[in-house]
Amino acid sequence: MEAVMMHRRIAPADTELARCTGTDAPKLAKMPKSLVSPQLRLLGLFSALLLIAGCATPMPRKDDPYENFNRKMYSFNEVADRVAIRPVAVGYRKITNDTSRRLISNF
């Protein structure tokens, strides 16, 4: 009988309670509070949503709907640069010195 008494003194309270109530499973203790703060959880959620949203962007178009216009405009700009814009820029540099060009650009 003394061995039985010692066993009861050493046994945890929840198993002893289970034995008294007749249930086989011990009672569960309260779960501890979360170690992660709510602000950190929100930051993690928004980060995950941002990463997921980055993958949801559509692929860029391979075709250019304005390709014909762009080619014609590029050709025009090349001709205009060669015929009018470059000669005017070279002439401007020849007739003005560095100081006057700087004064005009600061204006």
Side-chain angles (χ1 to χ4, degrees), residues 22-38:
T23 61
D24 292 334
K27 300 281 184 182
L28 294 176
K30 282 188 173 180
M31 295 297 290
K33 287 188 175 181
S34 176
L35 299 177
V36 181
S37 69

Side-chain angles (χ1 to χ4, degrees), residues 50-104:
L50 184 64
L51 287 173
I52 291 171
C55 298
T57 57
M59 292 293 294
R61 292 179 61 163
K62 302 281 185 197
D63 63 325
D64 184 6
Y66 301 111
E67 181 178 7
N68 191 23
F69 172 78
N70 289 338
R71 288 186 184 278
K72 288 178 183 176
M73 186 56 67
Y74 181 78
S75 299
F76 172 79
N77 287 340
E78 284 292 313
V79 170
D81 185 52
R82 198 173 33 237
V83 172
I85 299 170
R86 182 156 168 56
V88 170
V90 170
Y92 173 75
R93 285 190 67 111
K94 282 185 180 179
I95 63 171
T96 58
N97 62 9
D98 187 41
T99 307
S100 58
R101 282 194 305 266
R102 187 173 304 125
L103 288 172
I104 292 171

Side-chain angles (χ1 to χ4, degrees), residues 5-51:
M5 288 294 221
M6 284 182 77
H7 179 66
R8 282 194 176 174
R9 284 187 212 147
I10 296 173
D14 55 349
T15 55
E16 192 170 328
L17 180 63
R19 226 179 289 137
C20 293
T21 58
T23 61
D24 292 334
K27 300 281 184 182
L28 294 176
K30 282 188 173 180
M31 295 297 290
K33 287 188 175 181
S34 176
L35 299 177
V36 181
S37 69
Q39 292 86 4
L40 193 57
R41 282 186 186 184
L42 281 175
L43 179 65
L45 176 68
F46 287 133
S47 299
L49 288 176
L50 184 64
L51 287 173

